[in-house]
Amino acid sequence: MGKEVNRKKADRISDLPDSILTHILSFLSTNEAVRTSILPTRWRYLFALLPNLHFDLEDVLRRKNFNIHRGVKHLDLNIYLDKFITLPDVLFTCRTLVSLKVDKDFVLDVPRGVVHLPNLNTLHLESVKFLNDDSIKNLLSGCSNLEDMVLKQCYMENISKFNISHQLLKRLTIDYLYSIENLQSLVKADIYLFKTNYTRQGGATTLFRGICNVPSLILWVTSLELLLSCKPLPVFATFFKLKIPCYDLCREYSYIRGGKGLETLLSSLPALEKLEFSQEVLCFLPENVPSCLLYKLKAIKITNFTDEKHCIGKAKYFLKNGGALQKLTILTAPDVSVEKQLKISNVLLASPRESKQLCILIV
């Protein structure tokens, strides 16, 4: 009896609260943390409370009793195996899973009739090859409450059959020309495409028709050329917010091709109220002023702005024609000095403007 009392007194660590014990376990590898389950009962399931668990996929796939039905809500799988992999069925039937991220090169074969992820809200797939078109269909059909989906460099052998369809999806990010349909709930799309050899004929038209009812769009400047292949270009009647990012690697591309694409798009956005873009895509603006600029546009943000004549001239264009414009924000390039900012400010403040309620902010 005396020895048992001494052991209890010696095991003071086990009396600590879960938050402290899991913090201690977080400094161990996942395998080491799991091994603590052989300690007294107090430790048996503590490892399952860790915020991050890192498994060796080869070992996981060899386990016949692999189980994630432990209330898991967020699962991030990073896979680096260049071979065919069939993930355990249990991955597709976890009722508590809220977000799932799977990336790195592997082939995904989604079993028919097995997927049941009723609480999955966010799905992020990167560098994933689907075995066939049934795999993507089976996956999406089993995610009844999916709202946010990111597909980056995901593909299959016959890319023309890669179809994205989901009635409740609200946010979509893609970098391939997939077929898109049945996206009535979509409120935001992020499209990053190059016109490359995987761009099939008519694919751009199908894509833009599939998102023509989305209110908010992020369209990378490298995607603008694809608009030129749309015949005819759909009218995006409900677009009210458009953002056109441009990073260093695509600035030269935007100088050569981006302007005409922007011109084509603006003429098809009658309801546009907010516009943000890098000044590089100001190379060509439509001679016929788009109706959105005349009557709807309320806020415009221009980034990477300089004091060059052509750049200031384009800002004047918006001031002159923006009948509903309430705010023009100019974000200058990193190499623009305070003196040059002041010059830009003086020129624009002295320029004619259509809107009498316009605020100009230069930073």
Side-chain angles (χ1 to χ4, degrees):
M1 174 68 93
K3 291 183 179 180
E4 183 178 349
V5 172
N6 289 335
R7 280 198 298 268
K8 289 183 177 179
K9 289 183 178 179
D11 188 16
R12 295 179 180 177
I13 294 181
S14 295
D15 293 331
L16 294 173
D18 288 354
S19 59
I20 294 179
L21 293 179
T22 54
H23 180 69
I24 294 173
L25 292 180
S26 69
F27 291 96
L28 303 177
S29 68
T30 296
N31 285 336
E32 291 170 333
V34 171
R35 288 175 189 152
T36 63
S37 63
I38 67 173
L39 296 175
T41 306
R42 174 77 174 88
W43 293 79
R44 182 166 298 174
Y45 299 115
L46 277 176
F47 76 92
L49 300 178
L50 289 170
N52 297 294
L53 296 174
H54 302 276
F55 296 99
D56 185 299
L57 187 65
E58 294 271 17
D59 291 337
V60 170
L61 294 179
R62 281 196 292 265
R63 296 178 188 177
K64 294 182 179 180
N65 61 342
F66 174 63
N67 192 353
I68 63 170
H69 289 290
R70 296 284 185 182
V72 173
K73 292 185 177 181
H74 308 280
L75 185 61
D76 188 343
L77 297 177
N78 294 278
I79 302 170
Y80 297 86
L81 297 175
D82 187 17
K83 64 180 182 180
F84 179 84
I85 295 176
T86 300
L87 294 177
D89 289 353
V90 67
L91 177 66
F92 303 107
T93 57
C94 183
R95 298 180 60 87
T96 59
L97 202 59
V98 175
S99 68
L100 173 63
K101 181 178 180 180
V102 182
D103 70 78
K104 298 311 169 192
D105 303 325
F106 76 107
V107 178
L108 182 61
D109 180 14
V110 182
R112 183 189 300 273
V114 173
V115 181
H116 182 59
L117 300 171
N119 290 302
L120 190 68
N121 178 271
T122 302
L123 177 63
H124 186 132
L125 303 178
E126 185 169 350
S127 298
V128 170
K129 179 180 179 180
F130 285 89
L131 186 63
N132 49 47
D133 57 326
D134 285 337
S135 288
I136 183 66
K137 292 177 183 177
N138 294 338
L139 179 60
L140 294 182
S141 63
C143 304
S144 56
N145 289 301
L146 187 64
E147 294 185 355
D148 195 338
M149 183 163 67
V150 177
L151 297 177
K152 293 185 176 180
Q153 300 180 41
C154 296
Y155 63 101
M156 62 186 187
E157 291 298 333
N158 190 349
I159 194 66
S160 64
K161 291 186 177 181
F162 198 117
N163 183 52
I164 300 173
S165 176
H166 199 290
Q167 291 184 347
L168 299 182
L169 195 65
K170 293 183 178 179
R171 292 167 294 275
L172 175 65
T173 299
I174 59 173
D175 63 358
Y176 261 52
L177 263 180
Y178 307 119
S179 296
I180 294 178
E181 61 183 22
N182 197 25
L183 300 181
Q184 298 93 327
S185 300
L186 201 65
V187 296
K188 183 177 181 180
D190 188 340
I191 312 296
Y192 178 41
L193 304 168
F194 280 94
K195 190 174 183 181
T196 62
N197 54 7
Y198 69 76
T199 304
R200 63 192 184 279
Q201 186 177 6
T205 302
T206 302
L207 170 66
F208 286 108
R209 283 179 178 171
I211 62 169
C212 66
N213 292 318
V214 66
S216 179
L217 175 66
I218 299 177
L219 184 69
W220 290 79
V221 66
T222 47
S223 305
L224 290 178
E225 185 190 3
L226 290 172
L227 292 173
L228 304 179
S229 64
C230 295
K231 298 179 181 179
L233 180 67
V235 175
F236 304 95
T238 61
F239 270 20
F240 77 90
K241 184 177 181 180
L242 172 64
K243 181 178 180 180
I244 307 178
C246 180
Y247 62 90
D248 291 340
L249 294 178
C250 67
R251 295 199 189 282
E252 182 179 352
Y253 183 97
S254 67
Y255 273 115
I256 298 172
R257 302 172 179 177
K260 191 173 181 181
L262 175 59
E263 173 187 341
T264 303
L265 185 56
L266 285 178
S267 64
S268 298
L269 303 175
L272 189 65
E273 295 184 4
K274 297 181 180 180
L275 175 63
E276 178 180 343
F277 56 89
S278 182
Q279 65 92 4
E280 284 84 355
V281 300
L282 287 172
C283 297
F284 303 100
L285 284 175
E287 295 182 4
N288 297 324
V289 182
S291 62
C292 63
L293 179 55
L294 290 172
Y295 307 113
K296 292 291 185 178
L297 262 172
K298 297 178 180 179
I300 298 176
K301 179 185 288 187
I302 307 175
T303 62
N304 206 45
F305 205 85
T306 70
D307 64 335
E308 296 179 13
K309 183 177 179 180
H310 80 278
C311 194
I312 294 178
K314 300 303 182 179
K316 288 182 176 180
Y317 174 90
F318 288 109
L319 293 176
K320 180 181 178 181
N321 297 292
L325 199 58
Q326 299 176 2
K327 186 175 183 180
L328 174 63
T329 302
I330 303 292
L331 300 182
T332 56
D335 58 347
V336 174
S337 64
V338 176
E339 291 76 14
K340 290 182 178 180
Q341 286 183 345
L342 182 60
K343 171 188 172 183
I344 295 172
S345 177
N346 291 335
V347 172
L348 296 183
L349 289 174
S351 300
R353 63 185 72 179
E354 180 66 19
S355 175
K356 305 304 179 184
Q357 300 179 341
L358 175 61
C359 172
I360 301 177
L361 177 63
I362 301 175
V363 292

